[in-house]
Amino acid sequence: MTITCLNHKKTSKFICYQCNSLMCSRCISIHNKEHPDHSDKWEHIDDIKDSLSTLKLDDIIDTTNTTTNNDISNDSTNSNNNSISQINNKLKSLWESLRSSASRYQRLSTTENEIKQHFEQLHQYLIREEHKLQRDIINDKHTITNQIDNNILNLKYIVNIIMIFNKLNINDNDNNNNKVNTDNKSMINSNNTDNICDDQSIISDKASLYSTTTIMESIRSNSSLQSFINHNNQTLFNEYLDLFNIEELLKQHSNDSTSLLLDIIHKYNNQFNKSTTITDNNNLTLSSYKLSIKQPDFNQLNSIIEQSIKLDNIESTESINTTTNNNDNKQSYIFITHQLKGSTHQTTIRLKS
C-alpha cells in the first residue's frame, strides 16, 4: 500500500519528527515555510534507508563521561549529524539515557545501603543494651525452670509411692478387712470416676502437656496440691505410671508388701538425696529486681541522630534525557555520616553524574 498525500495526490516520502506528519514533496516545501524551526526535524525516506543500511550499533556509545580530548572528536562527529538519520540520533540519546539512569540508580542504591548500615549500628546497639538488661533475668528463669523440673520429678515419685501403697493394701489378702487410708486414696483417685473409663488406655505422651510452661500454668491455677494432682492425673500423675516396676519388685520380695514398700522408699531416697534436691526458694541464689522505666526524650534522641547522619537534596541544572520529558531535573545528594562516639567521622559525598 502506497501512502498518498490527500492534498496533492502525490506519494508521501517525507516525515517531520517534530509534528509527526507524513508529507509529499510539495507538502514539505509548504511545511518549511510555515515551520522554519522544523527545518532540521524532517527527513526523506531515502536518507532514512541509507542511514539504516549503514547503521552500526557498536558505534552508539555513551559519550557523556568522556574526556575533553574525546569531546573535540565528538564535536567533529556532531557536525555531520545533518547526514545522520534522526533514528540514529534517537538511538544514541536513548542509550545515553539508559546508561545515565543505570549509573545514577547504582549510586542511589549505594547511598541507601550506607544509610541502612548506619541505622543498623543503632539497632545493634539497642539490642545489645536490651540483652545486657535481660541476661540475669534469663539466667534466673533458667535456674527456676531446672528447680521446677527437678521438684516435679520428685513429686511424681512420691505420688507413685502412695499409689503403690494403696494398691498393695487393696490387694493384700491379710489386710482385706483393714480400712485403706481414705486421705491418700482421695488424693490419688478423686475425680477419676468422672475422667477415666473402665477400658481407658494410657494417654499418649504429648510434649506440650509435659512442658515446663504448661506445668507452671497449672501450678498457678491450682491453690492446693490435691487440685494440682487431679488436674494432671492424665499426664504427670497417671495411675498407670509405674516408676519402680512393681511386678518385678513383688517377685523379688516374695509378695511381701511391707518389704517392697521399704525398698521403694529406699530407692527413692537414693535418687533424690537431700543434698541435691531443691525444695526451698531461699536456697536458690536468685536476685530480686526492681525495674524503673523512664520514657526517653525523643527530641533529644532525634537531635543525636540528626547530628550523626545528614542527607541534603541538591537541585541540579543538568536535565535527564528521557523519552517522556526532557525538562525533568536530576536530584543530587550530599550524604554525610558521623560516628556517634569519638571525634573521628566518615564523610561520603554523592553528586550528580
Side-chain angles (χ1 to χ4, degrees), residues 161 260-271:
I161 290 174
L260 185 148
L261 182 61
L262 190 62
D263 187 25
I264 61 176
I265 293 175
H266 180 258
K267 285 181 169 57
Y268 160 78
N269 286 334
N270 282 337
Q271 182 164 352

Side-chain angles (χ1 to χ4, degrees), residues 25 32 52 94 126 190 194 229 236 247 258 291 305 345:
S25 56
N32 280 336
L52 292 177
L94 286 171
L126 292 175
S190 176
D194 296 332
I229 293 175
L236 298 175
E247 295 296 332
T258 301
L291 179 63
I305 293 176
H345 67 274

Side-chain angles (χ1 to χ4, degrees), residues 12-18 21-24 28 31-32 38-52 81-90:
S12 297
K13 293 188 176 182
F14 295 85
I15 181 172
C16 177
Y17 294 103
Q18 185 69 26
S21 299
L22 297 177
M23 294 170 285
C24 67
I28 194 64
H31 187 72
N32 280 336
H38 293 188
S39 59
D40 60 344
K41 305 298 182 183
W42 58 266
E43 278 188 301
H44 191 281
I45 185 60
D46 290 340
D47 293 331
I48 296 175
K49 290 167 63 177
D50 288 343
S51 178
L52 292 177
N81 276 347
N82 290 335
S83 62
I84 298 178
S85 170
Q86 291 289 337
I87 294 178
N88 296 53
N89 292 334
K90 191 64 174 180

